[in-house]
Amino acid sequence: SFEQKGHDFTAEVKYLDNWENSDQLFTQYSYSPGGTLDSSQIQTSVNDEFEKQFLIQLDYVKPIGKEGKFETGIRSSFRDMVNDYIVSEQNEEGGFDPIPELDNVFLYDENIHAVYGILGNKTKGISYQAGLRTEWTEVITTLEETNEVNPRKYVNLFPSAHITMDLPKQNAFQFSYSRRVRRPFYNDLSPFMTFSDSRNFFSGNPDLNPEYSDVFEVGHIKYFDNATLSSSVYYRDTEGKIERIRSVDPETGQSTTQPENLNGEKSTGIEFTAGYNPFKWWKLDYNFNFFYSDIDGSNIVESYQATTYSWFTRLTA
């Protein structure tokens, strides 16, 4: 911390070393309609998952004038994960033999480097903030036994802008724009199947890409002595929307569910948010959201065009 209030430099370092083991036993019996045991099948599944993650982040904040400030920083994260997976089936002698197509090692290596800058200030009842974050990402997924390697490198820009106009009688008008990213989780990428039963299979997708959204929002906020009430209208255009798709084999009746990148989704909605403090020790928050979505999944199935109206509400105390 420097002499000037709010003038700070912050450094943060994190290291994570994690291991998880999943050891499962599957027993299946098949009976004839008369109740006679026709066959039995016993399988074991062993899944060892190792993760190492390293993060370093530097942030600098410098006040400007009475109410303005400039922020900048860099962030680098490194994540290496190993998933060793094998399924074995009991043979006639009582031993267990590995199933070749269910024996593999999945490697996930992710490096993300980012730099950002934000400038904000307030003048004559108008406060504004503009920022830009640049990210360089490298992801490599590898299936060792089958030598399937999928490297990906990309650079992305994430701009943002926020403007607030103070109005009479404790009212304010707001406008904001931001570009956002939602990266797939590790389970979204892991190709190993989860067999909930002999007909329904679930897996990740190593070829999955992040989804990107451009979000525009216009809103109004009203301040009371012990409460706030805000309303907004927003538009969100998402590219490469991640959605779980279920496909059914017409011959066997078996279904496989895995995440896919759709062409995109366009959503328009309204949102109301209220906060109220009836007492110092009691706070109430209320939220209502109603939106319309137009989803384009024609890259997966030509006829996959869907529209929907959705709403949700939440009250917390």
Side-chain angles (χ1 to χ4, degrees), residues 4 11 42 79 131 136 144 146 189 191 196 198-199 208 215 253 267 291:
Q4 184 182 14
I42 299 177
R79 186 163 62 144
W136 180 82
E144 278 193 341
T146 51
L189 296 166
S196 61
S198 61
R199 295 179 182 269
L208 205 61
V215 183
S267 301
F291 62 94

Side-chain angles (χ1 to χ4, degrees), residues 4 19 57 66 80 88 129 154 164 225 243 265 288:
Q4 184 182 14
W19 170 73
Q57 182 169 334
K66 291 184 178 180
D80 297 326
S88 301
Q129 178 179 292
Y154 40 88
T164 301
D225 292 338
E243 195 72 74
E265 177 189 32
F288 173 79

